[in-house]
Amino acid sequence: MARGEDSLKRILIANRGEIARRIITTCKQLEIETVAVYSEADSELPYVKEADDAICIGKGPVKDSYLNMEKIIEVATNYNVEAIHPGYGLLSENGDFVKRIEQAGITFIGPNADILTLMGDKISARRAMVEAGVPVVPGSDGGVTSVSEAIQVAKEIGYPVMLKASGGGGGIGMVLCKNEQELSTSFSKIQSRAKAYFNSESVFLEKFIPNARHIEVQIFGDQNGNVIHLYERNCSVQRRNQKVIEETHSPNLSEQTREKLYEAAKRAAKAVSYTNAGTVEFIVDEAENIYFLEMNTRLQVEHPVTERICGIDLVEWQIKIAKGLEIPLQQESIKSFGHAIEFRVYAENPNNFYPSPGKISTLNWGNQTNIRIDSGYEQGNTVTPFYDPLIAKVIVHEENREQCLQVARSFFKETKISGIQTNIPLFLHILENSDFKRGSYSTNLLKQMVTN
């Protein structure tokens, strides 16, 4: 149901850390009150202090706090919020959560439950894209239920293949299989992992595309059927199939392929009557053929690079669309300016990527001219082992990519963080890599750097 321009006065943020702070910033600008929820482990984090109200909802583990739907909705009801913003991760793509929110008479700032359910299952999403004429990676028509069935599909599409959980992604939900033996060994493991993390044993197969680029398109849809794109982001620098560096625009990509990506993303969104912010992710092979990978039905971690080049507040757009308003700009009015790169600063060992929890004794960022820092932590805060170890996102925006790289290099050399390990040494290593500097890199970049 469409809401009036001034109907949202109070929003609950069902998330934590830097994304909670990010949402609070926009809400303050829009004079919207915020209600934060936090775990006992997060009680000293900045976002808890910055919200208008903050309520502890449980102990440290996510199952006892940020995944506790009943408690979150209870807080929303008790504090008379009109809407809930889920951020990303946690409950942001949980259709059951959205249904419960709607039953409580509260607006969900994101797509409806049907879209979340459809696109949250990779098998149903794949089928929807095939019907819409969006190119997909060769693979199984649906789920595979046995090792023998998986082997048969792999013989038909050819090795190597990716074995994936249909209910979720990231490094947890997929494994590369180069031959029949690896597929046989991995099958039951991925099924068990899928059941544990995504509550479904359903898995499927896709052809592995070597030397691919991971490129995604930011889209928005409104309740009147309008769909626009906000350009693309290259997310190919990854460790354990999880993004580390993202940039826009994608370097060394032909304008023809860029336009194909935009049109395919809009076609995908229109096919499912998509509303609010979303991201359509693609694999681009060495010949610049594009293949649908998945749709993320939420705000992305890397949304700031899009905000920087477009001069648009995506959270503000999310709120306006949730009110029932149209997308603020038409496609032809959306322009981009310069180049932007985001670096995800993690509390982790830069060599093996293992988390490095602990108290942040020193946190002194480098020169911040033209640099945006979205941080969930301040000096003296403790990074606990309960959550993803992302401590901040550093976003560099300059006239061109070469300037971005120069500024980032100087910034990270000047940054001093102690008490925990971070992946900043990895960034400095990547910034000196010849393939990365040329913009000629694929999802194999980090693996190749280790090998060489």
Side-chain angles (χ1 to χ4, degrees), residues 242-246 301-302 342-346 390 392-394 423 427:
Q242 294 177 319
K243 304 164 187 173
V244 180
I245 298 174
E246 302 96 352
V301 178
E302 57 272 21
E342 175 180 285
F343 299 83
R344 301 189 190 187
V345 181
Y346 285 97
L390 176 70
K393 302 182 308 196
V394 173
N423 57 345
F427 294 149

Side-chain angles (χ1 to χ4, degrees), residues 304-321:
V305 292
T306 298
E307 292 187 320
R308 295 293 275 175
I309 69 160
C310 293
I312 292 170
D313 184 331
L314 299 191
V315 175
E316 180 180 351
W317 276 30
Q318 285 190 292
I319 293 170
K320 287 183 175 180
I321 291 170

Side-chain angles (χ1 to χ4, degrees), residues 11 30 36 62 110 130 136 138 155 160 166 177 183 206 213 227 251 266 298 305 307 309 385 442:
I11 290 175
L30 298 176
V62 289
V130 170
V136 300
K155 287 180 179 178
S166 64
C177 303
L183 180 57
E206 281 185 344
R213 283 177 281 179
V227 173
K266 290 169 70 173
R298 52 172 168 78
V305 292
E307 292 187 320
I309 69 160
S442 70

Side-chain angles (χ1 to χ4, degrees), residues 217-349:
V217 179
Q218 176 71 61
I219 57 97
F220 262 88
D222 63 30
Q223 296 177 28
N224 295 318
N226 300 309
V227 173
I228 56 94
H229 74 78
L230 290 164
Y231 305 106
E232 90 291 349
R233 299 182 288 250
N234 188 315
C235 306
S236 301
V237 183
Q238 303 178 4
R239 50 97 169 103
R240 298 198 303 267
N241 295 311
Q242 294 177 319
K243 304 164 187 173
V244 180
I245 298 174
E246 302 96 352
E247 63 180 309
T248 184
H249 291 283
S250 181
N252 296 325
L253 187 69
S254 70
E255 289 305 312
Q256 182 180 13
T257 300
R258 220 181 293 275
E259 290 299 325
K260 285 182 180 178
L261 287 167
Y262 300 156
E263 290 306 311
K266 290 169 70 173
R267 192 182 315 132
K270 289 179 179 178
V272 296
S273 301
Y274 195 85
T275 56
N276 218 279
T279 306
V280 187
E281 306 206 8
F282 296 91
I283 288 296
V284 180
D285 69 14
E286 292 177 294
E288 294 201 358
N289 296 304
I290 69 171
Y291 303 99
F292 171 82
L293 182 63
E294 63 182 348
M295 179 183 282
N296 285 310
T297 51
R298 52 172 168 78
L299 196 67
Q300 288 280 80
V301 178
E302 57 272 21
H303 76 274
V305 292
T306 298
E307 292 187 320
R308 295 293 275 175
I309 69 160
C310 293
I312 292 170
D313 184 331
L314 299 191
V315 175
E316 180 180 351
W317 276 30
Q318 285 190 292
I319 293 170
K320 287 183 175 180
I321 291 170
K323 291 178 179 179
L325 302 176
E326 290 192 353
I327 297 170
L329 293 175
Q330 295 182 343
Q331 190 68 68
E332 57 270 20
S333 300
I334 299 169
K335 308 298 180 184
S336 65
F337 307 92
H339 195 89
I341 306 179
E342 175 180 285
F343 299 83
R344 301 189 190 187
V345 181
Y346 285 97
E348 67 181 20
N349 183 308

Side-chain angles (χ1 to χ4, degrees), residues 1 48 73 85 125 156 195 243 255 293 298 303 322 369:
M1 180 182 295
V48 176
I73 295 174
H85 196 304
E156 294 171 1
K195 177 65 175 177
K243 304 164 187 173
E255 289 305 312
L293 182 63
R298 52 172 168 78
H303 76 274
T369 303

Side-chain angles (χ1 to χ4, degrees), residues 15 32 35 67 75 93 116 155 166 195 209 249 269 304 326-327 338 342 361 367 378 387 419 432 435:
N15 218 295
I32 296 173
V35 177
L67 295 183
V75 171
E93 295 179 282
L116 289 179
K155 287 180 179 178
S166 64
K195 177 65 175 177
I209 308 296
H249 291 283
E326 290 192 353
I327 297 170
E342 175 180 285
S361 304
N367 187 294
E378 294 177 343
Y387 319 112
E432 296 300 332
D435 290 336

